[in-house]
Structure formats: C-alpha cells, structure tokens
Amino acid sequence: MQTFENVTIQATVQAPIEKVWHYWNEPAHIKKWNTASDDWHTPFSENDLRVGGKFASRMEAKDGSFGFDFGGIYDEVNTNEYIAYTLGDGRKVTITFKDLGDATEIVETFDAETQNPVEFQQQGWQAILNNFKKYAEETSRF
C-alpha cells in the first residue's frame, strides 16, 4: 500500500456553519467557488453526500487548454461537522467544520499525490479554500 504525505490547510469563514455546509456541498454553489484562480472554472459538479455516495467535478481552464476530473466516494459524513472521502486514486481527504457562532473554521487534510511538489499542491488546495471563503462570505451577506 502506497503511503502519502499529509497536507493540512485551513480557513475561518465569516458565515454560520449551516450556510457554510450548504455552500460547500451543493453542486450549484460548488460550480461557483471550486477554482484556484480566475482563469479556471468548474462547469460540472454532482454530489451524493452520504456514506458510499459519489461526488464528481470537472475543473477546466477557461481557455480550454487544460482540464481534469476530480471525484471520489464518501467514507464518513456527519452533517455540519465532518466529511471524509477517498479519491479515485486511493488518496484520503478529511474536512472538519467547527461552529464558531457567526463563523466556521474549516480544516482540510489531504494525502498529497506524487506527481507534483507538495508545496504546489498545498498552495492550490489553499487557493480553492480561500476562494470558497470569499464566495461564502460575499454570498452570505445578501
């Protein structure tokens, strides 16, 4: 069995946990925040949020030069608290949501893949999490 290096990223979102949970897991929202930079987008997302359920997203450069599918199967789901899943290549991801009242702390730990430098992966995942934070905070003000 291959071992992977664990990488942890985190952010505190200035929005209540129920809203954060909804924005994190609803495909219509996922398509709006699931990018690391403005020149990328997520044209497709589906999410069956339950143990054994599958999720999938398509991430693409807006100019069409590159894209990839991201998906896996849920191992554990505790509403408003915790998600664990296994990616298609066997890597594990856990996400903890901590209720801070009017804010929510998100801590995400993932197994780094072996094709790209760990620092590059950490920066990319953190950029996506930061984009989620920005989206959830801006959208929750309506």
Side-chain angles (χ1 to χ4, degrees):
M1 184 174 195
Q2 187 173 9
T3 57
F4 299 98
E5 182 175 341
N6 285 335
V7 179
T8 298
I9 58 171
Q10 63 184 48
T12 300
V13 180
Q14 300 303 313
I17 197 160
E18 293 82 7
K19 195 162 282 196
V20 167
W21 184 264
H22 178 72
Y23 289 167
W24 187 271
N25 293 298
E26 180 61 40
H29 289 291
I30 293 168
K31 290 193 284 187
K32 295 178 180 176
W33 62 259
N34 190 34
T35 62
S37 64
D38 290 341
D39 53 343
W40 279 70
H41 68 146
T42 298
F44 170 81
S45 178
E46 65 181 10
N47 193 18
D48 183 9
L49 185 64
R50 62 181 175 83
V51 173
K54 295 180 181 179
F55 68 92
S57 293
R58 175 75 184 167
M59 301 172 82
E60 295 179 350
K62 287 181 180 176
D63 67 5
S65 63
F66 187 76
F68 63 92
D69 296 314
F70 184 85
I73 298 175
Y74 289 107
D75 301 316
E76 191 174 343
V77 176
N78 295 328
T79 303
N80 294 341
E81 293 178 8
Y82 184 77
I83 296 171
Y85 60 83
T86 302
L87 294 169
D89 62 6
R91 294 182 296 132
K92 302 283 188 180
V93 179
T94 62
I95 309 148
T96 303
F97 299 82
K98 184 176 180 184
D99 187 349
L100 304 175
D102 289 339
T104 305
E105 180 184 63
I106 301 171
V107 177
E108 191 170 5
T109 301
F110 65 94
D111 291 340
E113 44 91 354
T114 56
Q115 294 178 332
N116 295 292
V118 171
E119 296 78 19
F120 178 76
Q121 294 174 65
Q122 183 172 17
Q123 290 169 2
W125 284 59
Q126 185 69 56
I128 293 169
L129 181 56
N130 292 346
N131 203 42
F132 172 79
K133 172 183 166 64
K134 178 182 173 190
Y135 174 78
E137 290 176 352
E138 289 175 354
T139 307
S140 69
R141 290 194 184 109
F142 65 87

